Amino acid sequence: AVDNAAAADGAMGGWIDGVEYGHWDKLWFRTVPGLKLSMLWLSTFFHGRHSAEGVLIDDIAVSEHPFSRHVDGQAALVRPGDERLQVNGRVGFHGDIAEIYWPGSSFTIKCAGPEVRAKLKDEHGFNYFNVIVDDSLVRVLRIDTVEKEYVLATGLSARPHTVELAKRADWFRGKTWFYGFGLAPGASVFPMAAPKRRIEFYGNSITVGAAVEDTRGDSGDSTYTNNYASYGAIAARHYHAGYSCID
């Protein structure tokens, strides 16, 4: 955004491993749209003896939106409507709550912190969700009919990770209400880029991925349905596209 020419209202902050080391406000960055920021310059200035290893820097994130900051060491709940999250599928929003209905609908967060949780409630208790960490399936959750928190991932390293929560089964299993991702104190959230392509699939049980994990027959039990393993979801991931499935 262009700063107010009449007042210095810009701000800048810096974090290392989720800890804020600097916050500066009352700054002017630019007052005309023709001036563009084109370079990030990292430099160290140290009076003393340098180590043989020097300074090692990796996993740098730069954003036009503020990163997550936690006050007084309190854990944070990142709401479904937070613009830093990536959302797939046709999802309804009712205030701070997301209503998940169609198969393959998902929420993904990119964050740095030791643990990620999710607060959920299911209409009938028949819905299952994949938990995908850094593009690998780590567990399957069955959601209860009472609102509660579920641990999605724990023991994560300090670097940023992506954690995705994706509905596995058909629409007729009922609705699931998603209240947000829970993070540990000191965790950071990073904005995720929107996909350049979007693909929407219309179909039937094959498109849903019904019984795709049933090796003994064609069971209608939702435990064997996995939309993430359907041809549509695989195609969307191959093309790095946003994904939506209507059955």
Side-chain angles (χ1 to χ4, degrees):
V2 178
D3 295 322
N4 184 350
D9 56 0
M12 181 171 63
W15 290 259
I16 300 176
D17 293 336
V19 179
E20 185 178 17
Y21 281 86
H23 181 76
W24 304 271
D25 53 17
K26 299 181 180 179
L27 301 176
W28 267 305
F29 290 108
R30 62 176 185 158
T31 55
V32 293
L35 179 61
K36 306 291 185 182
L37 300 178
S38 60
M39 180 177 67
L40 172 68
W41 182 20
L42 297 177
S43 178
T44 59
F45 187 80
F46 176 66
H47 287 287
R49 187 170 182 176
H50 293 268
S51 67
E53 294 81 8
V55 178
L56 305 177
I57 301 174
D58 61 3
D59 290 328
I60 299 170
V62 181
S63 172
E64 61 183 2
H65 304 289
F67 293 117
S68 176
R69 288 187 286 173
H70 303 279
V71 182
D72 299 329
Q74 297 297 313
L77 183 66
V78 182
R79 295 290 187 178
D82 194 301
E83 61 185 6
R84 294 167 296 183
L85 302 183
Q86 190 174 88
V87 184
N88 272 321
R90 295 190 183 185
V91 178
F93 288 90
H94 305 279
D96 289 334
I97 304 171
E99 185 178 273
I100 301 172
Y101 187 67
W102 297 107
S105 298
S106 70
F107 284 82
T108 306
I109 187 171
K110 183 177 182 180
C111 58
E115 184 175 276
V116 180
R117 303 176 307 280
K119 184 177 288 188
L120 299 150
K121 176 184 175 182
D122 200 69
E123 185 176 9
H124 304 299
F126 299 144
N127 271 306
Y128 292 81
F129 280 74
N130 287 333
V131 178
I132 300 136
V133 178
D134 297 332
D135 298 322
S136 295
L137 178 65
V138 297
R139 60 171 51 93
V140 176
L141 299 176
R142 182 172 183 173
I143 311 305
D144 204 340
T145 54
V146 296
E147 180 184 331
K148 63 171 63 173
E149 277 199 332
Y150 299 82
V151 175
L152 306 184
T154 190
L156 297 171
S157 63
R159 70 173 180 86
H161 298 271
T162 58
V163 179
E164 180 179 4
L165 184 67
K167 177 169 172 168
R168 291 168 58 98
D170 318 63
W171 63 268
F172 60 81
R173 307 291 176 182
K175 303 172 184 176
T176 304
W177 292 277
F178 174 54
Y179 301 87
F181 289 109
L183 303 178
S188 298
V189 182
F190 304 95
M192 299 191 67
K196 295 181 179 180
R197 303 181 182 92
R198 293 191 179 275
I199 305 177
E200 186 165 74
F201 291 84
Y202 291 82
N204 52 19
S205 59
I206 297 175
T207 313
V208 173
V212 70
E213 294 182 349
D214 187 357
T215 59
R216 297 174 295 178
D218 188 13
S219 173
D221 191 327
S222 60
T223 56
Y224 297 109
T225 297
N226 184 7
N227 185 263
Y228 193 78
S230 69
Y231 71 88
I234 293 171
R237 292 196 298 274
H238 175 78
Y239 289 105
H240 305 288
Y243 171 66
S244 182
C245 177
I246 307 297
D247 68 312

